Amino acid sequence: MKKSKLLLVVLIAAGVIAFFAFDLKQYFSREYFEAQRAVIDAEVQTRPLRSALLFFAAYVAVTALSLPGAAVMTLVAGAVFGLLWGTVIVSFASTLGATLAFLSARFLLHDWVQQRFGDRLRPLNEGVAREGAFYLFALRLVPVFPFFAVNLLMGLTPIRAWTYAWVSQLGMLAGTVVYVYAGTQLGEFRLSPGLVFAFALLGLFPLAAKKTLDALKARKVYAGWARPARFDRNLVVIGAGSAGLVSAYIAAAVKAKVTLVEKHRMGGDCLNTGCVPSKALIKSAKLVATMKQAGHYGLKDCRVDFDFADVMERVQRVIRDIEPHDSVERYTGLGVECLQGEAKITSPWTVEIRTAAGTQTLTTRGIVIAAGARPFVPPIPGIDEVGVLTSDTVWDLRERPQRLVVLGGGPIGCELAQCFARLGSNVTQVEMLPRLMVREDPEISEMVLRKFRDEGVSVLLGHKAQRFAIENGEKVLYCEHAGESVRIAFDAVLCAVGRVANTAGYGLEELGIPVTKARTVEVDEFMRTKYPNILACGDVAGPYQFTHTAAHTAWYAAVNGLFGGFRKFRADFSVIPWATFTDPEVARVGLNETEAKEKGIPYEVTTYGIDDLDRAIADGNAHGLVKVLTVPGKDKILGATLAGEHAGDLIAEFVMAMKHGIGLNKILGTIHIYPTLAEANKYVAGNWKRAHAPQKLLAWVGRFHAWRRG
């Protein structure tokens, strides 16, 4: 620690220690003031300036050191100095003290806290970056958090000190006046109408201030827009994927009048081009791989005879079988008006909908944007000429590509690369990063990589695609690797390098609704956009692009869109699981070891190898592991990663444990059926327990048993 920081820490510590060691808090109580009232009044009348300066200095010290007593001192200021001068003294003293606390927190802790707890402070940082002074003004005007906490926390954000000072001065002024006025009434030490009124103001002020602040903010946001006198709908939902369907379902369930607009197919990407078709293909490909290993299960080797077109037709049958769950008929029966057409937001309360029957404009109290995302195709030279496939279009294939290049080593690229390899394609997977599935821990990535290479996938890591070309009628890709050019010939290329949110074409630009650096719709912690009655959820809003998180955020969007004027619910992203359905399957919730190291979060690691699990051995799937991160010395789970058969199902126990604060001891004490794969979760808890066994106590217990034996 630098000498300047050490000196400041010593000074602050000395002040706090002195306050409690010498029982200085007794001088900041109403009882002390009552006992010394006559002496204090005489001192103020005799030497008013000196008294005011001493009081000012004491107030600054108390607030700068975040000591208890500021509230009592504010009341005393009103009783001793009166409403005018009491307000002046307290207003400037509280601002100076708050700014000193702010600067101290920034000087001592800002860099360290941002590095270690940046994710937890992200909502605050984003609020400051987005609204700055207005965000702080709201905290000051409506004291949701204690003022001392605001002083310290805001010091950890990027707000400028001068902005912090003047906004705090204005934001605290109204509350200061109310408290000082209450003090002028307390000075009489009797129950007067004025005292009752002052305390009523103290109770009602936060609510009134919040309503006033919301009204001012809304007036600013909605300035220039004409609000309809009445509304056709309570909610209009744009997009009928997972997020849109859930939003519409919730609205209909609470008897709101809701319209759902989809320009393509009900069910969105998940049903038509994402989760459902990919899992159907994975199942067929896995069956082929299993049949090729018949000898491993004590059976005669068998020849797998299949037609690729039949496999892809089965994928479409699966889609058709699930379609009724997301159909217009079902949602109409639930009370949702379903329209096929293009929607465009024309004002904060109007949506223009173009259908085959014509164009109509609906007025609505709330709008939910659930427009989803699409595959991102990078502008690599020549990519258009060779005809690229994506996760949207690959399902149209009926002829298996003999040589397939898969661009991307993320979840989609890995799932499809393994599928096509198992179905007979010669697959080359190209990833510019040094490993597959870079969001997972290195040993998990290595486990998947070994399986891929064992199954014949040519995985090229650290290869950056530079250009595509057609040479003598043959399609080729040129990559850069270690400074050299690598030529790859292929018949088809599948691009799986990520997805980008659909943010254009339905009115965001015209309304000035901003997007983030990640190119998603910018929303607050309540899933609201710039306009509080326009919300966004699912892939279009992020921060995760999973079907289950789309449904999760849709609940908040729908409920806040319908009832936000009465009560709002902050979206909870504290426990988010996900899975990649490769073989081995990989599932995860919370922190993994890589993230914990990057964020400087202390942790312990406990693992259990599934190769030791009876059921896995019996099934011929004895590979994989369970890896759990816990708080050092405690069984509290920070995160879990599973790799192996049915990992996406097994992770649910850890998801529930983290959501409800259940530790490894409780998992260990839960009966798991034998023999099942779920026992792996219990065994990893057992490994943790053995590692934390009280060895000294056990040694004494051993002596006790020896004594008992005689």
Side-chain angles (χ1 to χ4, degrees):
M1 181 181 290
K2 294 182 179 179
K3 291 183 178 180
S4 55
K5 287 188 177 182
L6 181 60
L7 177 60
L8 180 57
V9 170
V10 170
L11 291 174
I12 293 174
V16 174
I17 291 171
F19 182 83
F20 291 101
F22 296 104
D23 197 23
L24 299 180
K25 63 179 180 293
Q26 64 176 308
Y27 302 113
F28 299 91
S29 66
R30 177 178 169 180
E31 291 75 15
Y32 176 80
F33 175 69
E34 290 179 3
Q36 300 295 321
R37 177 62 188 274
V39 176
I40 294 172
D41 283 344
E43 180 68 19
V44 171
Q45 290 177 5
T46 304
R47 287 178 282 193
L49 181 59
R50 180 175 179 272
S51 300
L53 290 175
L54 287 174
F55 186 89
F56 183 92
Y59 201 108
V60 170
V62 167
T63 52
L65 295 174
S66 302
L67 297 171
V72 173
M73 291 187 72
T74 305
L75 296 172
V76 169
V80 173
F81 298 105
L83 179 61
L84 176 60
W85 287 109
T87 300
V88 171
I89 293 170
V90 170
S91 179
F92 285 95
S94 61
T95 298
L96 180 57
T99 305
L100 289 174
F102 164 87
L103 291 172
S104 298
R106 169 163 291 180
F107 181 64
L108 294 174
L109 299 172
H110 176 272
D111 294 341
W112 178 78
V113 169
Q114 286 291 349
Q115 180 179 3
R116 187 167 184 180
F117 304 105
D119 284 352
R120 300 182 190 181
L121 291 174
R122 185 172 58 186
L124 186 62
N125 285 334
E126 290 177 351
V128 171
R130 188 169 55 245
E131 308 220 10
F134 194 84
Y135 190 86
L136 173 60
F137 188 70
L139 289 174
R140 288 302 195 193
L141 193 61
V142 185
V144 178
F145 301 101
F147 280 165
F148 79 88
V150 174
N151 299 337
L152 300 179
L153 287 174
M154 291 301 291
L156 310 177
T157 72
I159 192 171
R160 296 174 61 184
W162 169 244
T163 302
Y164 181 83
W166 73 259
V167 172
S168 295
Q169 179 88 33
L170 291 177
M172 293 188 292
L173 184 59
T176 297
V177 172
V178 173
Y179 269 83
V180 172
Y181 177 70
T184 65
Q185 301 301 304
L186 282 172
E188 301 177 12
F189 294 111
R190 60 185 178 84
L191 188 63
S192 65
L195 182 60
V196 173
F197 176 70
F199 277 111
L201 280 179
L202 286 175
L204 294 174
F205 176 73
L207 179 61
K210 185 178 185 303
K211 292 296 184 183
T212 301
L213 191 64
D214 289 345
L216 289 173
K217 188 175 180 180
R219 183 175 180 181
K220 176 184 176 183
V221 169
Y222 292 110
W225 298 103
R227 180 186 174 94
R230 62 177 301 279
F231 298 94
D232 303 316
R233 302 289 185 272
N234 297 102
L235 203 66
V236 170
V237 181
I238 300 174
S242 177
L245 291 172
V246 172
S247 296
Y249 177 90
I250 291 171
V254 296
K255 306 305 179 184
K257 193 171 185 181
V258 55
T259 293
L260 175 64
V261 187
E262 171 57 55
K263 67 177 181 179
H264 294 309
R265 291 177 287 181
M266 294 283 286
D269 292 334
C270 181
L271 172 64
N272 298 292
T273 61
C275 309
V276 170
S278 65
K279 302 312 163 281
L281 185 65
I282 286 169
K283 180 63 177 180
S284 295
K286 185 170 185 177
L287 181 58
V288 170
T290 303
M291 292 174 68
K292 288 180 179 179
Q293 297 175 348
H296 178 70
Y297 294 94
L299 307 175
K300 294 292 185 182
D301 288 344
C302 62
R303 176 176 174 272
V304 183
D305 187 17
F306 69 93
D307 187 281
F308 181 78
D310 292 338
V311 172
M312 298 304 280
E313 282 299 329
R314 175 189 175 267
V315 169
Q316 296 304 314
R317 287 200 307 273
V318 171
I319 293 173
R320 289 193 295 270
D321 288 343
I322 296 177
E323 266 181 342
H325 301 168
D326 299 341
S327 65
V328 170
E329 291 76 16
R330 182 191 177 209
Y331 277 81
T332 300
L334 292 170
V336 178
E337 180 189 36
C338 300
L339 299 178
Q340 183 172 16
E342 293 190 24
K344 184 170 185 179
I345 306 170
T346 53
S347 86
W349 301 282
T350 56
V351 179
E352 181 184 273
I353 304 169
R354 290 188 297 167
T355 67
T359 301
Q360 62 175 315
T361 298
L362 297 177
T363 58
T364 178
R365 278 193 167 274
I367 300 169
V368 170
I369 300 169
R374 65 188 183 279
F376 172 67
V377 178
I380 302 172
I383 195 169
D384 292 332
E385 284 73 16
V386 298
V388 64
L389 296 167
T390 69
S391 58
D392 277 1
T393 59
V394 70
W395 313 110
D396 297 330
L397 286 177
R398 292 299 179 269
E399 183 177 340
R400 181 187 63 204
Q402 185 63 33
R403 298 172 298 174
L404 176 68
V405 165
V406 177
L407 290 182
I412 296 175
C414 286
E415 289 180 2
L416 293 177
Q418 187 176 43
C419 281
F420 275 89
R422 287 178 161 183
L423 293 173
S425 293
N426 295 318
V427 177
T428 301
Q429 188 172 13
V430 178
E431 170 55 58
M432 65 183 296
L433 296 175
R435 57 189 179 91
L436 295 177
M437 297 169 61
V438 72
R439 295 179 67 180
E440 308 299 341
D441 282 335
E443 70 269 31
I444 305 297
S445 299
E446 181 63 26
M447 193 178 299
V448 175
L449 176 64
R450 286 199 305 269
K451 183 70 170 179
F452 277 24
R453 286 178 171 165
D454 287 346
E455 294 187 352
V457 179
S458 175
V459 181
L460 304 181
L461 301 175
H463 284 64
K464 183 177 181 180
Q466 289 185 311
R467 66 184 179 90
F468 289 91
I470 299 177
E471 297 176 350
N472 299 320
E474 184 177 55
K475 298 176 182 179
V476 295
L477 166 64
Y478 286 93
C479 297
E480 185 274 327
H481 175 66
E484 296 184 358
S485 181
V486 177
R487 183 181 186 275
I488 305 166
F490 64 90
D491 300 310
V493 58
L494 171 64
C495 185
V497 296
R499 295 174 62 81
V500 61
N502 295 318
T503 58
Y506 51 89
L508 297 189
E509 305 92 336
E510 291 81 353
L511 269 70
I513 296 176
V515 297
T516 66
K517 292 179 180 179
R519 298 169 68 179
T520 57
V521 176
E522 187 175 279
V523 295
D524 64 10
E525 59 269 34
F526 304 106
M527 308 309 296
R528 302 179 304 179
T529 68
K530 170 184 174 180
Y531 301 92
N533 72 309
I534 301 178
L535 306 95
C537 57
D539 290 1
V540 78
Y544 302 96
Q545 291 190 339
F546 309 127
T547 296
H548 49 281
T549 53
H552 179 69
T553 55
W555 186 92
Y556 293 98
V559 172
N560 289 333
L562 293 168
F563 304 108
F566 306 99
R567 184 183 175 188
K568 299 186 295 294
F569 296 86
R570 185 176 283 103
D572 178 13
F573 296 108
S574 59
V575 182
I576 300 294
W578 65 80
T580 303
F581 297 91
T582 50
D583 183 5
E585 211 165 278
V586 177
R588 178 181 150 201
V589 61
L591 286 174
N592 65 7
E593 193 170 5
T594 302
E595 287 182 344
K597 288 178 180 178
E598 290 174 351
K599 297 175 181 178
I601 297 174
Y603 66 92
E604 289 182 4
V605 174
T606 305
T607 61
Y608 171 75
I610 295 177
D611 57 334
D612 186 58
L613 187 66
D614 291 1
R615 178 58 184 270
I617 295 171
D619 286 350
N621 293 310
H623 58 266
L625 61 78
V626 182
K627 182 177 182 180
V628 180
L629 271 64
T630 51
V631 174
K634 299 181 180 180
D635 72 335
K636 181 180 179 181
I637 302 168
L638 296 173
T641 299
L642 282 81
E645 195 78 1
H646 293 293
D649 299 312
L650 300 179
I651 196 73
E653 188 168 16
F654 292 109
V655 177
M656 186 186 70
M658 291 184 66
K659 179 66 176 178
H660 299 288
I662 298 171
L664 289 179
N665 277 315
K666 293 288 181 66
I667 291 177
L668 180 60
T670 300
I671 297 174
H672 293 67
I673 295 172
Y674 176 88
T676 60
L677 297 176
E679 285 186 295
N681 295 344
K682 181 174 183 175
Y683 291 152
V684 76
N687 285 351
W688 178 89
K689 191 70 172 180
R690 280 191 292 275
H692 292 82
Q695 297 301 328
K696 291 183 179 179
L697 176 61
L698 289 176
W700 280 102
V701 172
R703 294 189 184 100
F704 168 76
H705 287 305
W707 172 77
R708 293 266 291 176
R709 291 192 302 271

